[in-house]
Amino acid sequence: MNRLQAGLLTTGIGAVLLCSGAITETIRSDQLHPHRETLMWEDYSQDLRNKLTRSWSGGLEAIHKVMGQDDDKENLSKWKLYYDLEHAKHQIPRKEHSSFIHVYYSETRRSLLENGDFMPALLLDSEHSKAIQFWEKHDGTYAIITMEKRLDEDGTRRWLESGAQIIK
């Protein structure tokens, strides 16, 4: 191998290492997929936005009626509404993403969600330790799945389902 070939080989290896380091850093810092504040809400038609807003407002009223503790009822107005899991999960520590997503897409959700139901929304409390996933069903009732962050048997904080119900 002559000097020119050795130089090209060395330069090529260096370029590959440099690119892989840059890609790794980009993925680690989430710059590859920056999240937008509005996500795609503005891409929905005005009619669809109105229907979803009406549906979610009805869901909030239904949740307020069935919440057990008075302090939770008072604080419900401080909970933030998310219509998109991707936006909501950025509020939760990265190490909890897996358990949160697992509960969000649980077997309970799969069993309750039917064709004709409205798009689910998510309420997240200000301390990011409780969440309520809800949606209007095709028959006008509301499916509600409550989720909480708890300590597991091994002392790890995980998101777990704490209840599910259908209400009118």
Side-chain angles (χ1 to χ4, degrees), residues 66-129:
V66 298
M67 286 193 79
Q69 300 173 351
D70 288 335
D71 58 336
D72 280 343
K73 285 182 182 180
E74 289 177 19
N75 293 330
L76 189 60
S77 63
K78 296 178 184 173
W79 291 38
K80 188 160 182 180
L81 178 68
Y82 295 93
Y83 68 94
D84 183 281
L85 173 64
E86 288 304 310
H87 195 194
K89 87 176 183 190
H90 289 292
Q91 308 306 312
I92 296 167
R94 203 176 261 277
K95 62 186 174 189
E96 298 170 5
H97 281 188
S98 180
S99 68
F100 185 80
I101 291 169
H102 180 74
V103 173
Y104 185 86
Y105 289 115
S106 69
E107 181 59 38
T108 303
R109 173 189 162 115
R110 285 189 292 277
S111 69
L112 293 175
L113 196 56
E114 301 174 303
N115 284 339
D117 290 356
F118 279 76
M119 188 168 89
L122 181 79
L123 275 173
L124 186 61
D125 78 335
S126 58
E127 292 154 8
H128 307 134
S129 61

Short mmCIF file of all heavy atoms in Angstrom, two decimals, residues 66-129:
data_model
loop_
_atom_site.label_atom_id
_atom_site.label_comp_id
_atom_site.label_asym_id
_atom_site.label_seq_id
_atom_site.Cartn_x
_atom_site.Cartn_y
_atom_site.Cartn_z
N VAL A 66 -66.44 12.51 38.61
CA VAL A 66 -66.12 11.22 39.24
C VAL A 66 -64.83 11.24 40.06
O VAL A 66 -64.52 10.24 40.70
CB VAL A 66 -66.01 10.08 38.20
CG1 VAL A 66 -67.34 9.88 37.51
CG2 VAL A 66 -64.90 10.31 37.22
N MET A 67 -64.11 12.35 40.07
CA MET A 67 -62.87 12.39 40.86
C MET A 67 -63.22 12.25 42.33
O MET A 67 -64.12 12.93 42.82
CB MET A 67 -62.08 13.66 40.60
CG MET A 67 -61.41 13.64 39.24
SD MET A 67 -60.18 14.91 39.04
CE MET A 67 -58.82 14.20 39.92
N GLY A 68 -62.48 11.40 43.01
CA GLY A 68 -62.80 11.06 44.40
C GLY A 68 -62.41 12.10 45.42
O GLY A 68 -63.20 12.46 46.28
N GLN A 69 -61.22 12.63 45.36
CA GLN A 69 -60.74 13.52 46.41
C GLN A 69 -61.02 14.97 46.05
O GLN A 69 -60.78 15.39 44.92
CB GLN A 69 -59.24 13.32 46.63
CG GLN A 69 -58.91 11.90 47.04
CD GLN A 69 -57.41 11.67 47.09
OE1 GLN A 69 -56.62 12.51 46.68
NE2 GLN A 69 -57.02 10.53 47.61
N ASP A 70 -61.50 15.73 47.04
CA ASP A 70 -61.83 17.13 46.79
C ASP A 70 -60.62 17.95 46.38
O ASP A 70 -60.73 18.85 45.55
CB ASP A 70 -62.48 17.76 48.03
CG ASP A 70 -63.89 17.23 48.24
OD1 ASP A 70 -64.51 16.79 47.26
OD2 ASP A 70 -64.36 17.24 49.40
N ASP A 71 -59.43 17.65 46.95
CA ASP A 71 -58.25 18.43 46.58
C ASP A 71 -57.86 18.17 45.12
O ASP A 71 -57.40 19.06 44.43
CB ASP A 71 -57.06 18.16 47.52
CG ASP A 71 -56.66 16.69 47.57
OD1 ASP A 71 -57.51 15.83 47.29
OD2 ASP A 71 -55.50 16.44 47.92
N ASP A 72 -58.10 16.96 44.62
CA ASP A 72 -57.87 16.68 43.21
C ASP A 72 -58.84 17.47 42.34
O ASP A 72 -58.48 17.99 41.30
CB ASP A 72 -58.01 15.19 42.91
CG ASP A 72 -56.77 14.39 43.29
OD1 ASP A 72 -55.70 15.02 43.48
OD2 ASP A 72 -56.87 13.17 43.40
N LYS A 73 -60.11 17.57 42.77
CA LYS A 73 -61.11 18.31 42.02
C LYS A 73 -60.71 19.78 41.91
O LYS A 73 -60.83 20.39 40.86
CB LYS A 73 -62.48 18.21 42.67
CG LYS A 73 -63.15 16.88 42.46
CD LYS A 73 -64.54 16.87 43.09
CE LYS A 73 -65.18 15.51 42.91
NZ LYS A 73 -66.52 15.45 43.50
N GLU A 74 -60.23 20.34 43.01
CA GLU A 74 -59.82 21.73 43.00
C GLU A 74 -58.61 21.95 42.11
O GLU A 74 -58.51 22.95 41.43
CB GLU A 74 -59.49 22.19 44.43
CG GLU A 74 -60.69 22.33 45.32
CD GLU A 74 -60.30 22.70 46.74
OE1 GLU A 74 -59.18 23.18 46.95
OE2 GLU A 74 -61.13 22.50 47.63
N ASN A 75 -57.70 21.00 42.11
CA ASN A 75 -56.46 21.15 41.36
C ASN A 75 -56.57 20.73 39.91
O ASN A 75 -55.63 20.91 39.14
CB ASN A 75 -55.34 20.35 42.03
CG ASN A 75 -54.97 20.93 43.38
OD1 ASN A 75 -55.09 22.14 43.60
ND2 ASN A 75 -54.55 20.09 44.29
N LEU A 76 -57.69 20.16 39.51
CA LEU A 76 -57.85 19.70 38.13
C LEU A 76 -57.62 20.83 37.14
O LEU A 76 -57.09 20.61 36.05
CB LEU A 76 -59.24 19.09 37.94
CG LEU A 76 -59.50 18.38 36.62
CD1 LEU A 76 -58.53 17.23 36.42
CD2 LEU A 76 -60.93 17.89 36.55
N SER A 77 -57.96 22.03 37.52
CA SER A 77 -57.75 23.17 36.62
C SER A 77 -56.27 23.46 36.40
O SER A 77 -55.90 24.10 35.42
CB SER A 77 -58.44 24.42 37.16
OG SER A 77 -57.86 24.79 38.40
N LYS A 78 -55.41 22.96 37.26
CA LYS A 78 -53.97 23.16 37.12
C LYS A 78 -53.31 22.06 36.28
O LYS A 78 -52.16 22.17 35.92
CB LYS A 78 -53.30 23.22 38.50
CG LYS A 78 -53.76 24.41 39.31
CD LYS A 78 -53.11 24.41 40.67
CE LYS A 78 -53.68 25.55 41.51
NZ LYS A 78 -53.22 25.50 42.89
N TRP A 79 -54.05 21.00 36.03
CA TRP A 79 -53.52 19.92 35.20
C TRP A 79 -53.47 20.41 33.76
O TRP A 79 -54.30 21.20 33.33
CB TRP A 79 -54.41 18.69 35.29
CG TRP A 79 -54.39 17.99 36.61
CD1 TRP A 79 -54.33 18.56 37.85
CD2 TRP A 79 -54.45 16.59 36.83
NE1 TRP A 79 -54.35 17.59 38.81
CE2 TRP A 79 -54.43 16.37 38.22
CE3 TRP A 79 -54.54 15.49 35.99
CZ2 TRP A 79 -54.48 15.10 38.77
CZ3 TRP A 79 -54.59 14.22 36.54
CH2 TRP A 79 -54.56 14.03 37.92
N LYS A 80 -52.50 19.93 33.01
CA LYS A 80 -52.35 20.37 31.62
C LYS A 80 -52.91 19.32 30.67
O LYS A 80 -52.68 18.13 30.85
CB LYS A 80 -50.88 20.64 31.32
CG LYS A 80 -50.69 21.27 29.97
CD LYS A 80 -49.38 21.97 29.84
CE LYS A 80 -49.33 22.59 28.45
NZ LYS A 80 -48.14 23.29 28.20
N LEU A 81 -53.63 19.78 29.66
CA LEU A 81 -54.24 18.91 28.67
C LEU A 81 -53.30 18.75 27.48
O LEU A 81 -52.80 19.73 26.93
CB LEU A 81 -55.57 19.50 28.20
CG LEU A 81 -56.31 18.72 27.12
CD1 LEU A 81 -56.82 17.39 27.66
CD2 LEU A 81 -57.47 19.55 26.59
N TYR A 82 -53.07 17.50 27.08
CA TYR A 82 -52.25 17.20 25.91
C TYR A 82 -53.09 16.33 24.97
O TYR A 82 -53.76 15.41 25.40
CB TYR A 82 -50.99 16.41 26.29
CG TYR A 82 -50.04 17.21 27.15
CD1 TYR A 82 -50.10 17.12 28.53
CD2 TYR A 82 -49.11 18.04 26.57
CE1 TYR A 82 -49.23 17.86 29.32
CE2 TYR A 82 -48.23 18.78 27.35
CZ TYR A 82 -48.31 18.69 28.72
OH TYR A 82 -47.45 19.42 29.51
N TYR A 83 -53.04 16.64 23.70
CA TYR A 83 -53.75 15.82 22.73
C TYR A 83 -52.79 14.91 21.98
O TYR A 83 -53.20 14.15 21.11
CB TYR A 83 -54.53 16.69 21.74
CG TYR A 83 -53.65 17.49 20.82
CD1 TYR A 83 -53.31 17.00 19.57
CD2 TYR A 83 -53.17 18.73 21.20
CE1 TYR A 83 -52.50 17.73 18.73
CE2 TYR A 83 -52.37 19.45 20.37
CZ TYR A 83 -52.03 18.95 19.13
OH TYR A 83 -51.22 19.68 18.31
N ASP A 84 -51.52 14.95 22.37
CA ASP A 84 -50.52 14.18 21.66
C ASP A 84 -49.53 13.59 22.65
O ASP A 84 -48.95 14.31 23.45
CB ASP A 84 -49.81 15.12 20.68
CG ASP A 84 -48.80 14.41 19.83
OD1 ASP A 84 -47.70 14.15 20.34
OD2 ASP A 84 -49.11 14.12 18.67
N LEU A 85 -49.33 12.29 22.60
CA LEU A 85 -48.42 11.61 23.52
C LEU A 85 -47.00 12.15 23.40
O LEU A 85 -46.31 12.32 24.40
CB LEU A 85 -48.43 10.10 23.28
CG LEU A 85 -47.39 9.30 24.07
CD1 LEU A 85 -47.66 9.40 25.57
CD2 LEU A 85 -47.37 7.86 23.63
N GLU A 86 -46.56 12.43 22.19
CA GLU A 86 -45.18 12.90 22.00
C GLU A 86 -44.92 14.20 22.76
O GLU A 86 -43.87 14.39 23.33
CB GLU A 86 -44.88 13.09 20.51
CG GLU A 86 -44.73 11.79 19.76
CD GLU A 86 -43.66 10.89 20.36
OE1 GLU A 86 -42.53 11.35 20.60
OE2 GLU A 86 -43.96 9.71 20.58
N HIS A 87 -45.89 15.08 22.77
CA HIS A 87 -45.74 16.35 23.47
C HIS A 87 -45.77 16.13 24.98
O HIS A 87 -44.99 16.71 25.73
CB HIS A 87 -46.82 17.32 23.02
CG HIS A 87 -46.55 18.73 23.41
ND1 HIS A 87 -47.50 19.70 23.36
CD2 HIS A 87 -45.44 19.34 23.86
CE1 HIS A 87 -46.98 20.83 23.77
NE2 HIS A 87 -45.75 20.65 24.08
N ALA A 88 -46.66 15.26 25.43
CA ALA A 88 -46.80 15.01 26.87
C ALA A 88 -45.58 14.31 27.44
O ALA A 88 -45.14 14.61 28.54
CB ALA A 88 -48.05 14.16 27.13
N LYS A 89 -45.01 13.37 26.70
CA LYS A 89 -43.91 12.60 27.26
C LYS A 89 -42.66 13.44 27.50
O LYS A 89 -41.82 13.08 28.30
CB LYS A 89 -43.62 11.36 26.43
CG LYS A 89 -42.69 11.51 25.31
CD LYS A 89 -42.42 10.18 24.65
CE LYS A 89 -41.41 10.41 23.56
NZ LYS A 89 -41.21 9.28 22.70
N HIS A 90 -42.56 14.60 26.84
CA HIS A 90 -41.42 15.48 27.07
C HIS A 90 -41.49 16.14 28.45
O HIS A 90 -40.51 16.72 28.91
CB HIS A 90 -41.31 16.54 25.98
CG HIS A 90 -40.88 15.97 24.67
ND1 HIS A 90 -39.63 15.45 24.44
CD2 HIS A 90 -41.56 15.79 23.51
CE1 HIS A 90 -39.54 15.00 23.21
NE2 HIS A 90 -40.70 15.19 22.62
N GLN A 91 -42.64 16.04 29.11
CA GLN A 91 -42.80 16.60 30.45
C GLN A 91 -42.36 15.61 31.52
O GLN A 91 -42.24 15.96 32.69
CB GLN A 91 -44.26 16.98 30.69
CG GLN A 91 -44.87 17.87 29.63
CD GLN A 91 -44.06 19.12 29.38
OE1 GLN A 91 -43.68 19.80 30.32
NE2 GLN A 91 -43.78 19.41 28.12
N ILE A 92 -42.15 14.38 31.13
CA ILE A 92 -41.83 13.29 32.05
C ILE A 92 -40.35 12.97 31.94
O ILE A 92 -39.80 12.96 30.83
CB ILE A 92 -42.70 12.06 31.71
CG1 ILE A 92 -44.16 12.42 31.93
CG2 ILE A 92 -42.30 10.84 32.50
CD1 ILE A 92 -45.12 11.45 31.36
N PRO A 93 -39.68 12.71 33.07
CA PRO A 93 -38.25 12.37 32.99
C PRO A 93 -37.99 11.21 32.04
O PRO A 93 -38.78 10.25 31.98
CB PRO A 93 -37.90 11.98 34.43
CG PRO A 93 -38.92 12.67 35.27
CD PRO A 93 -40.17 12.72 34.44
N ARG A 94 -36.92 11.30 31.30
CA ARG A 94 -36.58 10.32 30.27
C ARG A 94 -36.55 8.89 30.79
O ARG A 94 -36.97 7.96 30.11
CB ARG A 94 -35.22 10.70 29.68
CG ARG A 94 -34.97 10.17 28.31
CD ARG A 94 -33.64 10.70 27.81
NE ARG A 94 -33.79 11.83 26.94
CZ ARG A 94 -34.05 11.72 25.65
NH1 ARG A 94 -34.23 10.56 25.11
NH2 ARG A 94 -34.14 12.79 24.90
N LYS A 95 -36.07 8.70 32.01
CA LYS A 95 -35.96 7.35 32.55
C LYS A 95 -37.33 6.73 32.84
O LYS A 95 -37.43 5.53 33.05
CB LYS A 95 -35.08 7.32 33.80
CG LYS A 95 -35.60 8.15 34.94
CD LYS A 95 -34.62 8.20 36.09
CE LYS A 95 -35.12 9.15 37.14
NZ LYS A 95 -34.16 9.40 38.16
N GLU A 96 -38.39 7.54 32.82
CA GLU A 96 -39.75 7.04 33.05
C GLU A 96 -40.54 6.88 31.76
O GLU A 96 -41.68 6.42 31.79
CB GLU A 96 -40.50 7.99 33.99
CG GLU A 96 -39.88 8.10 35.35
CD GLU A 96 -40.49 9.21 36.19
OE1 GLU A 96 -41.47 9.84 35.74
OE2 GLU A 96 -39.97 9.46 37.28
N HIS A 97 -39.97 7.26 30.63
CA HIS A 97 -40.69 7.20 29.36
C HIS A 97 -41.21 5.81 29.06
O HIS A 97 -42.36 5.64 28.64
CB HIS A 97 -39.79 7.66 28.20
CG HIS A 97 -39.68 9.13 28.10
ND1 HIS A 97 -39.06 9.75 27.03
CD2 HIS A 97 -40.07 10.14 28.91
CE1 HIS A 97 -39.08 11.06 27.20
NE2 HIS A 97 -39.69 11.32 28.34
N SER A 98 -40.38 4.81 29.24
CA SER A 98 -40.76 3.44 28.88
C SER A 98 -41.99 2.97 29.66
O SER A 98 -42.95 2.46 29.06
CB SER A 98 -39.59 2.49 29.13
OG SER A 98 -39.95 1.19 28.79
N SER A 99 -41.99 3.16 30.97
CA SER A 99 -43.14 2.70 31.75
C SER A 99 -44.37 3.55 31.45
O SER A 99 -45.50 3.04 31.44
CB SER A 99 -42.83 2.69 33.25
OG SER A 99 -42.66 3.98 33.77
N PHE A 100 -44.19 4.84 31.18
CA PHE A 100 -45.31 5.71 30.84
C PHE A 100 -45.96 5.27 29.53
O PHE A 100 -47.18 5.10 29.44
CB PHE A 100 -44.85 7.17 30.75
CG PHE A 100 -45.98 8.14 30.52
CD1 PHE A 100 -46.77 8.55 31.57
CD2 PHE A 100 -46.24 8.62 29.25
CE1 PHE A 100 -47.82 9.44 31.37
CE2 PHE A 100 -47.30 9.50 29.03
CZ PHE A 100 -48.08 9.91 30.10
N ILE A 101 -45.16 5.04 28.53
CA ILE A 101 -45.67 4.62 27.22
C ILE A 101 -46.33 3.24 27.34
O ILE A 101 -47.37 3.00 26.73
CB ILE A 101 -44.54 4.62 26.17
CG1 ILE A 101 -44.12 6.07 25.90
CG2 ILE A 101 -44.98 3.93 24.89
CD1 ILE A 101 -42.85 6.20 25.10
N HIS A 102 -45.74 2.36 28.13
CA HIS A 102 -46.31 1.03 28.33
C HIS A 102 -47.73 1.13 28.92
O HIS A 102 -48.65 0.45 28.46
CB HIS A 102 -45.41 0.20 29.24
CG HIS A 102 -45.90 -1.17 29.49
ND1 HIS A 102 -45.85 -2.17 28.55
CD2 HIS A 102 -46.49 -1.72 30.58
CE1 HIS A 102 -46.38 -3.27 29.04
NE2 HIS A 102 -46.78 -3.02 30.27
N VAL A 103 -47.91 1.98 29.91
CA VAL A 103 -49.23 2.15 30.52
C VAL A 103 -50.18 2.89 29.57
O VAL A 103 -51.35 2.56 29.46
CB VAL A 103 -49.12 2.89 31.88
CG1 VAL A 103 -50.50 3.23 32.43
CG2 VAL A 103 -48.35 2.07 32.86
N TYR A 104 -49.66 3.88 28.86
CA TYR A 104 -50.49 4.65 27.93
C TYR A 104 -51.11 3.74 26.86
O TYR A 104 -52.27 3.87 26.53
CB TYR A 104 -49.64 5.75 27.28
CG TYR A 104 -50.42 6.69 26.40
CD1 TYR A 104 -51.06 7.79 26.93
CD2 TYR A 104 -50.52 6.48 25.02
CE1 TYR A 104 -51.79 8.67 26.12
CE2 TYR A 104 -51.24 7.34 24.21
CZ TYR A 104 -51.87 8.43 24.78
OH TYR A 104 -52.58 9.29 23.97
N TYR A 105 -50.32 2.83 26.33
CA TYR A 105 -50.80 1.91 25.30
C TYR A 105 -51.13 0.54 25.89
O TYR A 105 -50.92 -0.49 25.25
CB TYR A 105 -49.76 1.75 24.19
CG TYR A 105 -49.63 2.98 23.32
CD1 TYR A 105 -48.45 3.71 23.30
CD2 TYR A 105 -50.69 3.41 22.54
CE1 TYR A 105 -48.32 4.83 22.50
CE2 TYR A 105 -50.58 4.53 21.74
CZ TYR A 105 -49.38 5.24 21.72
OH TYR A 105 -49.27 6.35 20.93
N SER A 106 -51.69 0.52 27.06
CA SER A 106 -51.95 -0.73 27.78
C SER A 106 -53.03 -1.59 27.13
O SER A 106 -53.75 -1.14 26.23
CB SER A 106 -52.39 -0.40 29.22
OG SER A 106 -53.67 0.19 29.19
N GLU A 107 -53.15 -2.79 27.63
CA GLU A 107 -54.21 -3.70 27.19
C GLU A 107 -55.57 -3.09 27.50
O GLU A 107 -56.52 -3.26 26.74
CB GLU A 107 -54.04 -5.07 27.86
CG GLU A 107 -55.07 -6.09 27.45
CD GLU A 107 -55.07 -6.38 25.95
OE1 GLU A 107 -53.98 -6.43 25.35
OE2 GLU A 107 -56.17 -6.53 25.38
N THR A 108 -55.67 -2.37 28.62
CA THR A 108 -56.94 -1.72 28.98
C THR A 108 -57.35 -0.74 27.90
O THR A 108 -58.51 -0.73 27.47
CB THR A 108 -56.81 -0.99 30.33
OG1 THR A 108 -56.40 -1.93 31.32
CG2 THR A 108 -58.10 -0.33 30.74
N ARG A 109 -56.42 0.08 27.44
CA ARG A 109 -56.72 1.04 26.37
C ARG A 109 -57.18 0.31 25.11
O ARG A 109 -58.17 0.68 24.48
CB ARG A 109 -55.49 1.89 26.07
CG ARG A 109 -55.67 2.82 24.86
CD ARG A 109 -54.35 3.46 24.48
NE ARG A 109 -54.37 3.98 23.14
CZ ARG A 109 -54.27 5.27 22.83
NH1 ARG A 109 -54.17 6.16 23.79
NH2 ARG A 109 -54.28 5.65 21.58
N ARG A 110 -56.45 -0.74 24.76
CA ARG A 110 -56.80 -1.50 23.55
C ARG A 110 -58.20 -2.11 23.67
O ARG A 110 -58.94 -2.18 22.69
CB ARG A 110 -55.76 -2.58 23.27
CG ARG A 110 -54.47 -2.03 22.69
CD ARG A 110 -53.54 -3.12 22.21
NE ARG A 110 -52.97 -3.93 23.26
CZ ARG A 110 -51.91 -3.62 23.99
NH1 ARG A 110 -51.30 -2.47 23.79
NH2 ARG A 110 -51.47 -4.43 24.93
N SER A 111 -58.57 -2.53 24.87
CA SER A 111 -59.89 -3.15 25.04
C SER A 111 -61.02 -2.12 25.06
O SER A 111 -62.15 -2.44 24.69
CB SER A 111 -59.92 -4.01 26.31
OG SER A 111 -59.86 -3.19 27.46
N LEU A 112 -60.73 -0.90 25.47
CA LEU A 112 -61.77 0.14 25.55
C LEU A 112 -61.92 0.95 24.27
O LEU A 112 -63.00 1.47 23.98
CB LEU A 112 -61.47 1.09 26.71
CG LEU A 112 -61.57 0.52 28.12
CD1 LEU A 112 -61.14 1.55 29.15
CD2 LEU A 112 -62.97 0.02 28.41
N LEU A 113 -60.86 1.10 23.50
CA LEU A 113 -60.87 1.93 22.30
C LEU A 113 -61.52 1.16 21.14
O LEU A 113 -61.11 0.05 20.83
CB LEU A 113 -59.44 2.34 21.94
CG LEU A 113 -59.23 3.49 20.98
CD1 LEU A 113 -59.95 4.75 21.46
CD2 LEU A 113 -57.76 3.77 20.81
N GLU A 114 -62.54 1.78 20.55
CA GLU A 114 -63.29 1.12 19.48
C GLU A 114 -63.38 2.04 18.27
O GLU A 114 -63.20 3.26 18.39
CB GLU A 114 -64.71 0.80 19.94
CG GLU A 114 -64.80 -0.11 21.14
CD GLU A 114 -66.22 -0.26 21.63
OE1 GLU A 114 -66.86 0.76 21.95
OE2 GLU A 114 -66.67 -1.41 21.68
N ASN A 115 -63.68 1.45 17.12
CA ASN A 115 -63.92 2.26 15.92
C ASN A 115 -65.06 3.23 16.21
O ASN A 115 -66.06 2.87 16.82
CB ASN A 115 -64.31 1.37 14.74
CG ASN A 115 -63.13 0.65 14.15
OD1 ASN A 115 -61.99 1.05 14.33
ND2 ASN A 115 -63.41 -0.44 13.46
N GLY A 116 -64.88 4.47 15.77
CA GLY A 116 -65.90 5.50 15.98
C GLY A 116 -65.66 6.35 17.21
O GLY A 116 -66.32 7.37 17.39
N ASP A 117 -64.73 5.94 18.08
CA ASP A 117 -64.40 6.75 19.26
C ASP A 117 -63.60 7.98 18.84
O ASP A 117 -62.93 7.99 17.80
CB ASP A 117 -63.57 5.94 20.26
CG ASP A 117 -64.37 4.83 20.94
OD1 ASP A 117 -65.58 4.73 20.70
OD2 ASP A 117 -63.75 4.08 21.71
N PHE A 118 -63.67 9.02 19.65
CA PHE A 118 -62.90 10.23 19.39
C PHE A 118 -61.44 10.02 19.78
O PHE A 118 -61.10 9.08 20.50
CB PHE A 118 -63.47 11.40 20.21
CG PHE A 118 -64.67 12.05 19.59
CD1 PHE A 118 -65.92 11.43 19.66
CD2 PHE A 118 -64.57 13.25 18.93
CE1 PHE A 118 -67.04 12.02 19.10
CE2 PHE A 118 -65.68 13.85 18.36
CZ PHE A 118 -66.93 13.23 18.44
N MET A 119 -60.60 10.92 19.32
CA MET A 119 -59.17 10.85 19.61
C MET A 119 -58.94 11.07 21.11
O MET A 119 -59.47 12.00 21.70
CB MET A 119 -58.45 11.94 18.81
CG MET A 119 -56.95 11.85 18.88
SD MET A 119 -56.17 12.91 17.65
CE MET A 119 -56.03 14.43 18.57
N PRO A 120 -58.13 10.22 21.74
CA PRO A 120 -57.84 10.37 23.17
C PRO A 120 -57.06 11.65 23.47
O PRO A 120 -56.33 12.17 22.63
CB PRO A 120 -56.98 9.14 23.50
CG PRO A 120 -57.29 8.16 22.43
CD PRO A 120 -57.56 8.98 21.21
N ALA A 121 -57.22 12.12 24.69
CA ALA A 121 -56.44 13.23 25.21
C ALA A 121 -55.84 12.78 26.54
O ALA A 121 -56.23 11.75 27.09
CB ALA A 121 -57.32 14.46 25.41
N LEU A 122 -54.91 13.56 27.05
CA LEU A 122 -54.23 13.20 28.29
C LEU A 122 -54.14 14.41 29.18
O LEU A 122 -53.74 15.49 28.74
CB LEU A 122 -52.82 12.68 27.97
CG LEU A 122 -51.99 12.23 29.16
CD1 LEU A 122 -52.43 10.84 29.60
CD2 LEU A 122 -50.52 12.21 28.81
N LEU A 123 -54.52 14.24 30.44
CA LEU A 123 -54.34 15.26 31.46
C LEU A 123 -53.14 14.86 32.30
O LEU A 123 -53.05 13.71 32.73
CB LEU A 123 -55.56 15.33 32.38
CG LEU A 123 -56.73 16.17 31.94
CD1 LEU A 123 -57.89 15.97 32.91
CD2 LEU A 123 -56.37 17.62 31.86
N LEU A 124 -52.25 15.79 32.55
CA LEU A 124 -51.07 15.52 33.36
C LEU A 124 -51.00 16.53 34.48
O LEU A 124 -51.10 17.74 34.24
CB LEU A 124 -49.81 15.60 32.49
CG LEU A 124 -48.48 15.21 33.09
CD1 LEU A 124 -48.48 13.74 33.53
CD2 LEU A 124 -47.37 15.43 32.08
N ASP A 125 -50.86 16.04 35.72
CA ASP A 125 -50.83 16.97 36.85
C ASP A 125 -49.53 17.77 36.86
O ASP A 125 -48.56 17.42 36.19
CB ASP A 125 -51.07 16.26 38.18
CG ASP A 125 -49.88 15.51 38.71
OD1 ASP A 125 -49.00 15.11 37.94
OD2 ASP A 125 -49.82 15.30 39.93
N SER A 126 -49.52 18.85 37.59
CA SER A 126 -48.38 19.78 37.58
C SER A 126 -47.10 19.17 38.13
O SER A 126 -46.01 19.63 37.81
CB SER A 126 -48.73 21.05 38.36
OG SER A 126 -49.09 20.72 39.69
N GLU A 127 -47.21 18.12 38.94
CA GLU A 127 -46.02 17.47 39.49
C GLU A 127 -45.57 16.29 38.63
O GLU A 127 -44.60 15.61 38.95
CB GLU A 127 -46.31 17.00 40.92
CG GLU A 127 -46.48 18.18 41.86
CD GLU A 127 -47.35 17.82 43.06
OE1 GLU A 127 -47.69 16.64 43.24
OE2 GLU A 127 -47.70 18.75 43.79
N HIS A 128 -46.30 16.03 37.55
CA HIS A 128 -45.99 14.96 36.61
C HIS A 128 -45.93 13.60 37.30
O HIS A 128 -45.08 12.77 37.00
CB HIS A 128 -44.69 15.24 35.85
CG HIS A 128 -44.68 16.57 35.20
ND1 HIS A 128 -43.62 17.42 35.27
CD2 HIS A 128 -45.63 17.22 34.48
CE1 HIS A 128 -43.90 18.53 34.62
NE2 HIS A 128 -45.11 18.44 34.14
N SER A 129 -46.87 13.38 38.23
CA SER A 129 -46.92 12.11 38.94
C SER A 129 -48.26 11.40 38.75
O SER A 129 -48.40 10.25 39.15
CB SER A 129 -46.65 12.32 40.43
OG SER A 129 -47.63 13.16 40.99
#
